[in-house]
Structures are given as structure tokens and as C-alpha cells.
Amino acid sequence: MAVSPALDTAGAAPRTRPAPPEPPASRRPGRAGRAAVWLVPAGLALALGLWGIRRGNSIWRDESTTYQVAHRSVGEILHLLGDADVVHGLYYLFMHGVFALWDGGLVALRLPSVLAMAAAAAGIGLLGQRLAGPRAGLAAGLVFPLFPAVQRYAQEGRSYALVCAAVVAATHLLLSAVTRPRKRTWAGYAAVAALACLLHEFAILAVAAHGVALYRARVGARFGWAWGQSASVVALVLAPLVIVSQQQAALVGWISPPGPLELLGFGVIALAGLVCARGPLPAHGPVPLRDLALALLILPPAALLAVSYLHPLYVDRYVLYAYAGLALLIGARLDALSRTAAVPRALAGGLAVATAAALLPYSLQLRTPQSRLDDPLAAARSVRELSRPGDGVLFLPARRREPIMSSPADFRGLRELALARPAIPSGTLHGIELPAPLIRARMLTAGRIVTVNDPPRRPLDDTPQERVKREVLAEHFHRCAVRDVTGMRIVLYGRAGKC
């Protein structure tokens, strides 16, 4: 990658901001102190991630999709990506490799996210140390894994924790490139940022936040060209993924325009960051912590929210890495407060302990099956308990097939009445269903049908297949039993005298 000669002149010292004065030797952290800045946050994040990692042996539908797709062959995964979920394609291939090495069920599904979030916490500790000193870094690294959203996605078999780790690593490379400009450092920044974007395309907003931070730090004129080249490389790498994912936009049709809850959630974390940013903060690096952290915290979610009023795309987990900015600001503010006579260190430490204790009830609830939108494994168990061999089974709507894909043994002996082609041969997430007249004919051959449904009060899918399922059940069957599980309803239907 070409770099401006002003940034890479042979034999000339790099023109960077003068380094801050070294603290007195008595105040410099020793080797153990420097290691603690990243080891302790990584250890806390790892402990929180491993605590209750099985979550009562439950799994929700997005994780079920990861598990099923990652167990397909590479060819089958690539076949699927032409039809659906290309935005998660790299992650599925990565998880395919994980399961090839160790098919450890739910632990293997979630362990990469646990490790990635531990790496992100360690990286945030080191970022804080670079920008504000070791105590600010340690505080930031310890705060990050305590955030409820971070705890949640550290235990999810999805890509968001890996994106966080990649964004934090790219931020380190950006600071290194600004401190000591070299072609290989800018190339490394572009490569890691591109990796983050290939894991999830909205990581491109973190690259934009980096550019804003450079501009705010008034080093944009000197490093804007190199950053722009790196960002252009990332955009070129990402472009094919964006083009294909736009063709699959129907898969995110469930996302609604931002409402009061989404705005409130963003407003709370943005306000917390702005409050922490007020007043003097330590500044040890080439880019002030305040500028970098606020850009990461505010720009990605704000941009996604704004776009979502035209084309709904905002889901908070898509920009989970914004919490890295909040952690840096809180860590720096805690360090600044602990240096004042009005807020002794013991009180600052006590506030941190009290905050962790206040989060404990949420942390406990987070590790239960009820903390997720649904539980396909619980639904599969309910189907097994309500059914008997020879019964028919239907999914209303067809995308509710996660239970049979997550636990096919619980459906053994049942007849699928609507399925034409299974998911893997058809290269789809959930398979392809028969035309409506054939579904009607097959339903009328059954004496009992077990259905897996959305929970009550959800909008009904208005396709010919879904309409005919509802019509035949209403005209020829009556309800025998109903069982609600997290996020789904299981209903047994029977003809007269067949319950």
C-alpha cells in the first residue's frame, strides 16, 4: 500500500507529536503492574464468560443457526451463502473449523466468543494504558466485561464478540501507525479492520470512527491520507459482501425503525460517555483518549440509527464494539477521580464493587434459558412429550424449524407434512416447503398434528403455505393441548376422538 512520502521518508525521523514527559521512576508501574493491565481484565472476562456457559443447556435461534450451518461441509456452507446469511459467512467457516477440531456442543459453540471477549478486555486495558496510563487502563479493562451487553454476547455463538476483539486490535494498530508511521503498520491496520468488517459489515463504522478521531485530534492533515488509503482498501474488500448482502435484505426484514426503547438505550450510554468525558482526563498518546473513545462510542450507533429511519437496520449488537469507547471513558474518569482528595481511591474502588454487586441479579438471569428470545431445545422436548409415533408435524411459520434442526432426535417417528426439500440439499437455512395444495392434501391424511408456532400476538405470515396450514387446522382439527416455552408455542391438534 502506498504511503505519503512525508510519512515514510528514509533516514528521517517520523514527524509525530512530542512524547509526554515520563513519570518519575517511583510512579512507573513495574513489570507485574504492566502485565496486570491486560491480564486481570482478561481473567475477569474469561471467568464471567465461562460462568454458566451452558445456560441451562439452552440455545436460541441465532445460535441454533450457527450450530447447524457450521456442521455443514465447506461446499454446503458456500452453497448456502449464495442464498442467505452471507454477512455471517466468514464466521460460519471459522466455526466449521472449530467444530472440526473439537465438536464440543454448546461449550464449543460459545467458547470462541468467550475467548474473543477476554482478548477485547485485555486490549482495552492496553488501550487505556497507552492513552491515559496504567491505572486508567486497568479500570477500563475491568469495566468492559461487566457491561450487561458484553456479558451476554460473550456467551453467544455469534460473531459479535470476535468483531469487538478485531476492532480493538485495529485501534491499537491505528495508534501504532500514528505514533511511528510505517507502511507495514498501516497495512496491518487495513488487514485487521477488513477482517472485522468481513466478520460483520457494520464494523466499517468503527473505521469511520477512527477517521473522525484523527480529525478531532488535529492529526488528520498529517495522517488523513494514510488512513484514507487504508479505509479505501477495507471498503474494496468489503464491497462484494455488501453487494451480495443487499440481495439478501429480506432476511433482515424483521427489523423495525428505531423506537423509543432503541433511542433511550443509545441515549443512556452516550450520555454516560459524555459525562465521563467532561473535565480534564489524562492524555498520554498521539490521539487523546477523549476523542478516540467518544468517536467509537457515538458515531457507529448514531449512524446506524440515522440510516434505520430510511432502511431499518439498527440492532444494538451490530455495533457492540461501541462499549469499548464507553469503557475507556469510564476507566479514565475513575482514574482522574481517584487522584483527587475529594474522591479517595478507596471510595472509587468501593463504587466499582457496588456497581458489580448491583449487576449481579442481571448477571444471574442472563445465564438462564429465559434470558433469550426463544429456546428451540425446550420446544423440541415439548414436541416429544406431546406427540406419539406417526403424528404429523408442522412449523407455523416455516422459519420456526429451529427445534427440529437443533434436536432431530426429539422428532423421530413424526411425519413432516409441509417439507419439500431439506435445508442442506436446498442450500437454504430452513428448507423449502411444498405448494399449498400439496400441504393441504398431506394434512388431511393425519389424525394428529403437532405444530411449532410463534408466540401469541405475533404477526402472521401471509403466504399461500401459511394460510392453508391455518385453514385446514381450523376446519378439520381441534386443539388437544397447548404448551408455551420461551419464545414459542407448541400445540397438539387432533381430529374428533384422536387426542
Side-chain angles (χ1 to χ4, degrees), residues 360-384:
L360 183 60
Y362 179 85
S363 297
L364 290 169
Q365 192 272 339
L366 198 62
R367 288 157 176 83
T368 65
Q370 292 73 30
S371 66
R372 300 304 190 262
L373 291 176
D374 53 27
D375 187 351
L377 293 180
R381 290 192 294 269
S382 293
V383 168
R384 182 190 64 208

Side-chain angles (χ1 to χ4, degrees), residues 9 50 57 145 152 174 182 261 291 293 295 416 432 448 469:
T9 304
L50 293 176
N57 290 321
R152 171 173 181 166
L174 176 73
R182 292 181 176 179
L261 287 179
D291 294 333
E416 283 210 61
I432 297 174
R448 292 170 24 123
K469 292 176 194 176

Side-chain angles (χ1 to χ4, degrees), residues 164-498:
C164 277
V167 167
V168 170
T171 305
H172 273 285
L173 287 165
L174 176 73
L175 294 177
S176 295
V178 171
T179 303
R180 192 176 181 185
R182 292 181 176 179
K183 290 182 180 180
R184 65 186 183 189
T185 311
W186 282 109
Y189 167 71
V192 175
L195 173 64
C197 293
L198 291 175
L199 285 168
H200 198 282
E201 60 190 12
F202 291 147
I204 192 67
L205 296 173
V207 179
H210 289 156
V212 170
L214 293 180
Y215 174 78
R216 291 279 301 165
R218 299 182 181 177
V219 295
R222 294 162 56 200
F223 300 105
W225 175 250
W227 171 84
Q229 285 182 307
S230 299
S232 298
V233 169
V234 174
L236 285 172
V237 170
L238 185 60
L241 177 64
V242 173
I243 292 170
V244 178
S245 67
Q246 285 300 305
Q247 297 169 0
Q248 301 174 0
L251 292 171
V252 292
W254 56 270
I255 302 177
S256 302
L261 287 179
E262 288 79 11
L263 294 174
L264 178 63
F266 168 66
V268 167
I269 66 167
L271 181 61
L274 290 169
V275 168
C276 290
R278 288 182 60 84
L281 289 176
H284 294 180
V287 178
L289 178 143
R290 188 195 321 269
D291 294 333
L292 178 62
L294 282 176
L296 279 174
L297 171 63
I298 293 177
L299 187 146
L304 199 56
L305 278 167
V307 169
S308 292
Y309 285 105
L310 300 175
H311 181 53
L313 290 170
Y314 180 79
V315 181
D316 57 356
R317 61 181 177 267
Y318 293 170
V319 286
L320 182 66
Y321 53 81
Y323 282 97
L326 181 57
L328 288 169
L329 289 165
I330 292 175
R333 178 52 58 201
L334 287 175
D335 179 35
L337 288 174
S338 71
R339 295 176 185 274
T340 67
V343 184
R345 294 182 191 178
L347 179 56
L351 287 173
V353 172
T355 301
L359 289 172
L360 183 60
Y362 179 85
S363 297
L364 290 169
Q365 192 272 339
L366 198 62
R367 288 157 176 83
T368 65
Q370 292 73 30
S371 66
R372 300 304 190 262
L373 291 176
D374 53 27
D375 187 351
L377 293 180
R381 290 192 294 269
S382 293
V383 168
R384 182 190 64 208
E385 292 164 3
L386 290 176
S387 65
R388 57 188 184 221
D391 288 349
V393 62
L394 285 174
F395 300 91
L396 288 86
R399 52 189 160 77
R400 279 284 76 87
R401 288 181 50 81
E402 294 92 353
I404 193 170
M405 299 178 73
S406 300
S407 184
D410 286 322
F411 290 78
R412 190 171 294 124
L414 303 184
R415 293 189 299 137
E416 283 210 61
L417 300 176
L419 188 65
R421 295 184 66 199
I424 294 177
S426 64
T428 61
L429 285 174
H430 302 115
I432 297 174
E433 292 203 331
L434 294 164
L438 291 179
I439 294 176
R440 173 186 291 274
R442 293 182 70 173
M443 288 178 68
L444 292 175
T445 67
R448 292 170 24 123
I449 299 175
V450 182
T451 64
V452 178
N453 309 264
D454 276 336
R457 295 180 294 279
R458 287 283 181 88
L460 299 175
D461 285 23
D462 192 27
T463 65
Q465 288 93 335
E466 300 304 326
R467 288 198 301 270
V468 79
K469 292 176 194 176
R470 296 192 294 266
E471 290 168 3
V472 173
L473 289 171
E475 294 171 5
H476 300 278
F477 293 82
H478 61 271
R479 288 189 176 189
C480 302
V482 178
R483 185 167 298 179
D484 288 321
V485 298
T486 303
M488 295 187 199
R489 169 168 283 184
I490 315 302
V491 182
L492 172 64
Y493 289 89
R495 292 179 180 269
K498 293 288 187 178

Side-chain angles (χ1 to χ4, degrees), residues 8 40-41 66 74 76 84-85 93 108 140-141 164 183 206 271 273 275 303 357 359 376 422 452:
D8 192 42
V40 176
T66 297
V74 172
E76 290 165 347
D85 258 10
L93 291 168
C164 277
K183 290 182 180 180
L271 181 61
V275 168
L359 289 172
V452 178

